[in-house]
Amino acid sequence: MIYDTLNNLPNYLGVSDNLDTVIEYIMARDITTLPAGRTRIDGEKAVVTVSTVTPLTSDKALFQRHDNHITLETDLDGSELFELTPTKPTDEATDTTVGTAGTSIAGMLCEGRFALYLAGEPYKSGLKAQGCGKLRKAVFSIELDPDEEDETEE
């Protein structure tokens, strides 16, 4: 997981071709004006979904894991908590896996910050932060580059 400010996104150029596409997309525009719904940035390789969500308490949210893509999340309006766990929940045969875990690490996401969840990394986001109601967020789904998929299989 990478947790940083949007201003520092250019520091991560070169990590992945598809991530580079998303970083350049974010840096070239005011993402707070993105429309609600799904927007393709580069076909299915890079997609952003903007939505307004009501945060959940941690006990009501499940961990999710994506094996074939990385996920970059940022809040456009409002704040939320997120959690990571070192254990892999449930079924490993699908790209999206949900479940529970015994231990986790928490953090806070807000406007101007991002969390980049790596492939195979269980996380839950959209968790209720004290004093915060609904939030508007952007979730970028970024396919792994072909050479990255080979590395995760080893």
Side-chain angles (χ1 to χ4, degrees):
M1 182 220 170
I2 297 172
Y3 176 65
D4 206 340
T5 64
L6 290 173
N7 289 337
N8 288 334
L9 259 179
N11 295 338
Y12 301 98
L13 286 167
V15 171
S16 148
D17 291 340
N18 292 333
L19 177 59
D20 287 356
T21 299
V22 168
I23 291 171
E24 290 164 359
Y25 179 86
I26 292 170
M27 300 314 292
R29 63 195 29 83
D30 177 3
I31 61 171
T32 63
T33 64
L34 289 172
R38 190 170 188 264
T39 302
R40 288 187 179 135
I41 299 167
D42 183 12
E44 292 300 315
K45 292 179 185 178
V47 176
V48 59
T49 303
V50 175
S51 60
T52 299
V53 299
T54 301
L56 300 172
T57 57
S58 180
D59 62 332
K60 292 196 168 55
L62 295 174
F63 283 96
Q64 57 183 313
R65 185 186 82 231
H66 306 283
D67 292 329
N68 296 323
H69 69 273
I70 55 181
T71 304
L72 187 150
E73 295 191 8
T74 185
D75 291 343
L76 305 174
D77 184 29
S79 300
E80 67 183 287
L81 299 176
F82 63 84
E83 291 182 23
L84 297 158
T85 183
T87 58
K88 291 186 176 181
T90 66
D91 180 15
E92 295 189 28
T94 62
D95 178 40
T96 302
T97 305
V98 296
T100 60
T103 60
S104 65
I105 301 164
M108 185 168 193
L109 196 58
C110 57
E111 298 164 44
R113 298 200 70 84
F114 73 91
L116 180 68
Y117 305 106
L118 305 177
E121 188 170 56
Y123 70 94
K124 53 181 160 178
S125 61
L127 305 179
K128 186 160 182 58
Q130 188 173 7
C132 295
K134 290 190 179 203
L135 65 114
R136 187 167 175 265
K137 66 188 295 178
V139 177
F140 295 84
S141 178
I142 306 156
E143 280 187 9
L144 294 179
D145 294 345
D147 60 326
E148 291 171 321
E149 289 177 20
D150 295 338
E151 292 173 14
T152 60
E153 293 173 4
E154 295 175 2

